[in-house]
Amino acid sequence: MLAAPARPDWLPSADFARASFSRALELCCSSASVVSSTSPSGPGPLFPDLRMFPELNNLLNTAPDKAEQGRLTLLCDARTDGSFLVHHFLSFYLRANCKVCFVALIQSFSHYNIVAQKLGVSLTAARDRGQLVFLEGLKSSVEVFFQTPEEPHPLQFLREAKAGNLQPLYEFVRTALTPGDDGEAAWRCPVLLVDDLSVLLSLGLGAVAVLDWMQYCRATVCCQLKGNIVALVHDREDTEDEENDILLNGLSHQSHLILRTEGLATGFCRDVHGQVQCSGHCTTSWSAEAADSVETAHNPAGPEPHLSVQDTGQERVLFC
């Protein structure tokens, strides 16, 4: 009998390859479904339901055909990756026939499109029919640095010596979501999706400038256009990042819904990877004067609109 050939040094072991495949499969599936820790019928299928996130929809008592309007949803993650919530809300609002403006500062369009196809949605088709306006930050940043655009670029602050002017980015969002008079298809409501706001801090912007930009986006999208905003912010609780804490705390007090994903305090587990904490933190009402001032000024660096905040203290937890 011939002896089996020796395994080359560069070839990973079977255990390592199996672990790598399991991790890759976990990352793909975690963007679309929740793995239950117990199952009355035994172990679930190898590939779970990738269409949507049904457990989260049941927890929030929502569905694409009854999506609420005028809400700011804050996504927060700590000691884990909460990007699967971004993919969920992107597919959710596209299924709900909403006009979506996606400010993607982390990944490329192809990455989001591949995950969306696993969820049963084609971003390419949505962009072609005018339902999706996609700002690819990775690609646009190269254009800002190496090209001189005729008009102000949404990420024009990257070329400025003192970063802080987010008015071009605000104008991009307002133009993308404002209904036109050119026979455009009637969408249910506009939606602004940002992945993620913490990147703006890493690019040199201050927390106050980002909060001002969010204030004016909320006044335009949530109040005037009766739409929704979903934004992701990282919680760097293990580091002393004052600017990120200011941004996170400011948005937490302004959000109608906060979804916080975090790893298990006791460490990692094979079946349960973490938890999603759902809290209805506040209800925000805008004054008529604030909405009118934003409509006429369109300047994110101006005075902040008046807010009245009421704490409801509702909180629920979903294990995933």
Side-chain angles (χ1 to χ4, degrees):
M1 181 181 296
L2 296 177
R7 179 176 59 87
D9 296 336
W10 54 266
L11 185 64
S13 64
D15 295 337
F16 179 83
R18 190 179 302 109
S20 300
F21 173 78
S22 300
R23 179 57 180 165
L25 179 62
E26 174 187 337
L27 292 176
C28 292
C29 295
S30 64
S31 299
S33 64
V34 172
V35 181
S36 177
S37 59
T38 61
S39 175
S41 59
L46 180 61
F47 295 94
D49 186 7
L50 296 180
R51 290 176 297 175
M52 288 194 70
F53 200 163
E55 285 82 0
L56 181 58
N57 288 334
N58 294 334
L59 180 69
L60 302 179
N61 191 24
T62 186
D65 57 347
K66 58 176 183 179
E68 298 185 15
Q69 298 178 218
R71 298 173 64 86
L72 169 61
T73 301
L74 176 62
L75 310 179
C76 177
D77 56 10
R79 304 189 309 274
T80 188
D81 184 11
S83 59
F84 69 97
L85 291 175
V86 176
H87 298 292
H88 164 72
F89 280 101
L90 177 60
S91 62
F92 177 87
Y93 284 116
L94 290 178
R95 287 177 179 271
N97 199 32
C98 298
K99 179 68 175 291
V100 179
C101 177
F102 191 8
V103 180
L105 303 175
I106 292 295
Q107 300 288 350
S108 62
F109 177 83
S110 59
H111 169 82
Y112 294 104
N113 190 36
I114 290 174
V115 179
Q117 289 177 352
K118 294 180 179 292
L119 302 177
V121 177
S122 174
L123 299 189
T124 303
R127 185 175 60 177
D128 293 341
R129 63 174 175 263
Q131 184 183 8
L132 174 65
V133 179
F134 191 91
L135 176 61
E136 188 172 352
L138 297 177
K139 182 179 179 180
S140 299
S141 59
V142 178
E143 299 176 356
V144 172
F145 282 116
F146 297 100
Q147 299 180 9
T148 304
E150 298 179 357
E151 299 180 357
H153 194 276
L155 303 181
Q156 186 66 30
F157 66 90
L158 294 175
R159 294 177 60 98
E160 299 175 354
K162 184 179 180 180
N165 183 17
L166 288 175
Q167 184 173 356
L169 184 58
Y170 166 76
E171 292 292 343
F172 171 82
V173 173
R174 184 179 64 87
T175 304
L177 296 180
T178 301
D181 300 331
D182 53 356
E184 183 182 4
W187 309 109
R188 173 177 294 182
C189 67
V191 175
L192 171 61
L193 185 61
V194 185
D195 184 20
D196 63 66
L197 288 175
S198 299
V199 174
L200 295 178
L201 300 180
S202 302
L203 295 176
L205 291 171
V208 175
V210 179
L211 286 173
D212 288 345
W213 179 74
M214 285 295 296
Q215 290 270 21
Y216 279 83
C217 287
R218 289 199 311 124
T220 301
V221 178
C222 297
C223 183
Q224 297 178 4
L225 303 179
K226 306 300 180 182
N228 298 318
I229 297 179
V230 180
L232 173 65
V233 178
H234 297 296
D235 185 3
R236 301 187 178 97
E237 56 184 13
D238 55 341
T239 60
E240 297 181 359
D241 192 340
E242 182 179 357
E243 289 293 311
N244 192 83
D245 293 341
I246 294 175
L247 176 62
L248 182 59
N249 293 333
L251 290 178
S252 298
H253 287 289
Q254 301 170 15
S255 302
H256 298 85
L257 175 65
I258 303 174
L259 294 177
R260 176 183 174 87
T261 61
E262 55 185 7
L264 298 177
T266 56
F268 294 98
C269 178
R270 185 183 66 176
D271 297 326
V272 180
H273 305 289
Q275 65 181 12
V276 179
Q277 183 177 352
C278 173
S279 58
H281 187 75
C282 71
T283 55
T284 304
S285 59
W286 294 83
S287 63
E289 294 82 2
D292 294 339
S293 64
V294 173
E295 183 177 5
T296 55
H298 300 312
N299 183 13
E304 298 183 3
H306 172 71
L307 296 175
S308 61
V309 177
Q310 178 182 0
D311 190 3
T312 61
Q314 300 176 357
E315 182 175 298
R316 285 186 271 184
V317 176
L318 175 68
F319 290 93
C320 56

